[in-house]
Amino acid sequence: MEDRIVKEGVLWKRGGSTAKCLKTNGWKEKHVELSKNGFLCYFSKGGERETARKVIVTPGSVRKLPRRKQIFYGKHSKHAFMITGHDHVFYFGADSEDECTAWMEALEDASIVHDGQEMGHTLRMMYSLFRLADKDFSGTISKAEAQSIAHRMNAQCNPPEISAAFRKRAIRSLSKELDFEQFCSLWREITLNKFDVSEFEKAGGEDVESTITPKQLTMYLQRQGNTEVSEEFIRMVLSRHLGQASADSTDPSLLGCDVFMFSDIVQSNDNGVLHQKIVKTVYQDMTHPLSNYWVNSSHNTYLTGDQLKSSSTIDMYRIALEQGSRCVELDTWDGANGEPIVYHGYTMTSKISFHAIIQCIKDYGFKSSPYPLILSLENHCSLPQQIRMAEIMEDILGEMLVMPTLEDEQRLPSPAALVGKVILKGEKSKENSFGTVSAEEPDESDPVELIESALEDSAPTVDYTVEAVAELKEATSKAKSKLNHLEKQKNNRSACRLVEAYLFRHRVKKCIDKSMGKGSGQCSECTCYSDV
């Protein structure tokens, strides 16, 4: 692979392995170079390039340095970005925010582009595996390097099978190592099953290394019962699947269909059991209120893995939208420089720009379906950044954005009435959460007044806090009344006891006086004794 430099400059660097990141080593000035294959090499300023060390840049591994780490690392961290990996974290600081943004964009492009073409989802995953296996950054991998990532390749095969497949390709290329295209071929072969191979041979393939023409694939699918398929349709399908099934950019009409593309197409919706006109045509009545329908929804759309420490990428929104999702989620939080960000709050997941997500939604939101797209906003932003969110959505989405009206509060509009529209969904904000909001009529041309008006209108009509205080006061009053009543009962009982005791002592004294006068030991008026 050609190791062409696409960007270079001087940055401040710290970190490395996970153990080094925990140490208090300071920032060091480094000369940094980014190659088109996604390798970032760095060496001491004024030093020799032969001493350079390299970092693998994978999709989603680059992100802005969080605010808490900027405070912790101090100098050179204000305009810094980080590159994370399985066992390392690198921090690179720039002299300005523009320079930091330029580096991050270049790194992101280098991680998703191969030979000048943007890779599909499958190729991105394979390219990440390939660079992880390439320990010496040579652009090729050895047999040992290929076996080191076998457990990540979702291949149910043993090491001897991998060795045999690797040796076959190495002999053909007259080399002991494989480049990325050969690695793709290796990966696809060890993940194929016997059924795919046998069906490919029935379609006209001689072996797994051969190809079949679009006409042969058309005839095979027609024999299997797919009478709707045509050769022109197959050529279109081959072109669409080429970006995911092969690393070769050759015209599919000239290349033909190999066993890997054959496996993908046979198992895709293009060869589905259901009638394609029924599948692709909405025959249901779409004029009912929006709440009458099930919505194909995506949860934590931005995450590539778990909700604790995985990466967040804009590409996940594209994938979800292309797969037919009509509701995607955005967890918005306050970002640096007044720009809102999206990530899974209070976790180690990476952060992505709210602006970039909205742009992606505009580009891919209605490619798979014309019906309305719902943006489920889990809003944690302050009022200033909520205003910024409104500005971003109004600038990018424009007329696509559904603005709230008071014409029909009791009935939601239908999907048919909202074709090509974007709907915002979120919890109503309490007025006292954001302070006092202006009660004047908003200027429709001013997004700041629009969001302030929306926040005011969305405030609850009933003040539940006042009701709760009133209920608490009432309960307190009842409790005090009951307590006073019990206290009175207690005091009454005590007073009765005192009166009884006083009367008893008075009677006893009276009886004793009488008994002493009569000379008798017992009182004639009661049963008490004088010696008591």
Side-chain angles (χ1 to χ4, degrees):
M1 286 187 180
E2 182 185 356
D3 193 21
R4 183 168 61 86
I5 304 301
V6 295
K7 187 173 179 60
E8 61 180 324
V10 177
L11 297 175
W12 294 90
K13 175 259 176 188
R14 70 177 297 152
S17 66
T18 306
K20 286 184 179 180
C21 292
L22 301 177
K23 297 180 180 179
T24 57
N25 295 331
W27 295 89
K28 297 180 180 179
E29 196 172 16
K30 300 289 184 179
H31 185 85
V32 183
E33 296 179 349
L34 174 64
S35 69
K36 72 168 189 175
N37 293 324
F39 296 126
L40 189 74
C41 66
Y42 62 91
F43 51 92
S44 298
K45 185 180 178 181
E48 297 182 357
R49 195 176 188 280
E50 289 71 19
T51 62
R53 297 188 178 184
K54 293 186 178 181
V55 183
I56 300 173
V57 184
T58 57
S61 65
V62 182
R63 54 176 168 162
K64 191 77 171 65
L65 191 66
R67 176 64 179 165
R68 63 182 185 277
K69 290 192 176 182
Q70 291 180 15
I71 297 173
F72 180 75
Y73 290 132
K75 189 178 180 182
H76 305 302
S77 62
K78 183 177 181 180
H79 310 296
F81 60 90
M82 56 193 298
I83 303 174
T84 58
H86 177 65
D87 56 357
H88 65 263
V89 180
F90 286 90
Y91 306 102
F92 290 95
D95 292 331
S96 67
E97 191 64 26
D98 291 340
E99 184 183 1
C100 177
T101 303
W103 271 101
M104 291 178 66
E105 291 176 352
L107 289 164
E108 187 66 25
D109 290 341
S111 69
I112 64 175
V113 174
H114 175 68
D115 286 344
Q117 294 184 347
E118 184 172 348
M119 297 179 289
H121 177 68
T122 304
L123 275 186
R124 292 186 191 186
M125 181 270 295
M126 294 168 65
Y127 197 39
S128 296
L129 287 177
F130 178 79
R131 288 185 291 181
L132 287 174
D134 186 14
K135 304 295 185 183
D136 55 359
F137 302 95
S138 62
T140 58
I141 60 172
S142 63
K143 182 174 69 173
E145 289 174 333
Q147 289 180 336
S148 68
I149 60 168
H151 65 286
R152 296 171 176 253
M153 298 169 66
N154 196 27
Q156 302 297 325
C157 56
N158 51 41
E161 291 177 340
I162 297 177
S163 298
F166 186 96
R167 186 164 51 251
K168 180 171 61 177
R169 282 162 178 76
I171 293 173
R172 186 182 305 160
S173 62
L174 301 178
S175 172
K176 294 183 179 180
E177 298 189 345
L178 304 182
D179 60 16
F180 178 58
E181 284 75 11
Q182 294 168 330
F183 171 75
C184 290
S185 176
L186 169 70
W187 181 83
R188 299 288 291 179
E189 178 179 343
I190 63 179
T191 55
L192 282 175
N193 55 51
K194 294 181 179 179
F195 176 80
D196 290 333
V197 175
S198 63
E199 292 300 310
F200 180 71
E201 292 174 351
K202 290 179 184 179
E206 297 179 2
D207 51 40
V208 294
E209 302 299 329
S210 62
T211 61
I212 59 176
T213 64
K215 184 177 181 180
Q216 288 177 308
L217 179 57
T218 303
M219 294 175 62
Y220 167 80
L221 295 177
Q222 289 175 345
R223 290 197 302 270
Q224 301 302 317
N226 191 350
T227 57
E228 298 179 355
V229 70
S230 63
E231 187 173 344
E232 181 181 358
F233 175 75
I234 287 300
R235 291 182 183 275
M236 180 187 69
V237 171
L238 285 172
S239 299
R240 188 168 69 248
H241 281 263
L242 183 64
Q244 296 185 347
S246 173
D248 198 327
S249 58
T250 309
D251 183 354
S253 62
L254 301 176
L255 175 69
C257 175
D258 59 20
V259 64
F260 314 126
M261 296 177 67
F262 173 83
S263 174
D264 282 346
I265 293 172
V266 168
Q267 299 178 61
S268 70
N269 291 332
D270 295 313
N271 188 43
V273 177
L274 298 177
H275 199 286
Q276 288 300 302
K277 291 183 179 180
I278 296 177
V279 173
K280 296 181 179 180
T281 303
V282 178
Y283 60 88
Q284 296 91 346
D285 183 3
M286 304 299 288
T287 60
H288 293 285
L290 193 64
S291 55
N292 289 13
Y293 299 88
W294 294 101
V295 180
N296 184 355
S297 302
S298 170
H299 177 60
N300 287 343
T301 311
Y302 47 89
L303 291 179
T304 58
D306 63 78
Q307 301 181 66
L308 180 62
K309 55 183 177 59
S310 64
S311 298
S312 306
T313 65
I314 300 170
D315 198 47
M316 297 306 296
Y317 284 91
R318 179 187 63 81
I319 294 172
L321 294 171
E322 289 181 345
Q323 291 178 347
S325 291
R326 292 291 85 196
C327 178
V328 294
E329 184 180 13
L330 296 86
D331 293 352
T332 58
W333 297 79
D334 286 352
N337 302 319
E339 292 294 327
I341 56 174
V342 172
Y343 84 112
H344 202 260
Y346 306 111
T347 66
M348 295 180 286
T349 57
S350 58
K351 302 174 177 64
I352 49 180
S353 166
F354 178 81
H355 185 284
I357 294 174
I358 298 301
Q359 185 62 54
C360 176
I361 287 170
K362 179 183 179 181
D363 296 339
Y364 296 95
F366 298 96
K367 287 194 173 183
S368 64
S369 172
Y371 289 105
L373 174 64
I374 302 172
L375 306 186
S376 180
L377 297 176
E378 186 176 311
N379 187 9
H380 302 275
C381 290
S382 60
L383 179 57
Q385 295 215 13
Q386 288 189 46
I387 295 173
R388 178 58 184 152
M389 287 167 57
E391 293 174 347
I392 291 171
M393 290 186 287
E394 188 178 52
D395 291 343
I396 296 178
L397 300 177
E399 296 297 325
M400 299 167 63
L401 194 62
V402 176
M403 302 301 290
T405 62
L406 301 176
E407 295 177 358
D408 192 357
E409 296 181 345
Q410 303 301 322
R411 179 183 174 89
L412 289 173
S414 67
L418 296 173
V419 169
K421 296 292 185 179
V422 177
I423 304 171
L424 302 183
K425 178 177 74 73
E427 295 182 358
K428 290 185 177 181
S429 303
K430 293 184 179 180
E431 186 176 3
N432 57 12
S433 298
F434 303 98
T436 305
V437 200
S438 174
E440 298 177 359
E441 280 294 317
D443 181 2
E444 293 185 358
S445 63
D446 189 351
V448 175
E449 292 192 14
L450 283 173
I451 187 62
E452 289 180 346
S453 174
L455 288 171
E456 184 180 26
D457 294 340
S458 65
T461 56
V462 180
D463 194 339
Y464 295 105
T465 306
V466 174
E467 283 193 352
V469 172
E471 290 180 2
L472 180 60
K473 286 183 177 179
E474 184 180 357
T476 304
S477 177
K478 290 181 178 179
K480 287 183 177 180
S481 176
K482 184 68 175 176
L483 186 61
N484 291 337
H485 177 68
L486 294 174
E487 191 68 27
K488 287 179 181 180
Q489 288 184 339
K490 180 180 179 182
N491 292 338
N492 290 340
R493 284 195 296 270
S494 299
C496 290
R497 290 194 186 96
L498 290 172
V499 171
E500 289 175 359
Y502 175 77
L503 293 174
F504 177 77
R505 291 175 61 189
H506 180 70
R507 291 176 61 189
V508 170
K509 185 175 182 298
K510 186 178 179 181
C511 293
I512 291 174
D513 292 341
K514 287 183 179 182
S515 62
M516 290 177 65
K518 292 180 179 181
S520 172
Q522 184 177 7
C523 178
S524 60
E525 297 180 3
C526 64
T527 58
C528 63
Y529 290 86
S530 60
D531 58 345
V532 176

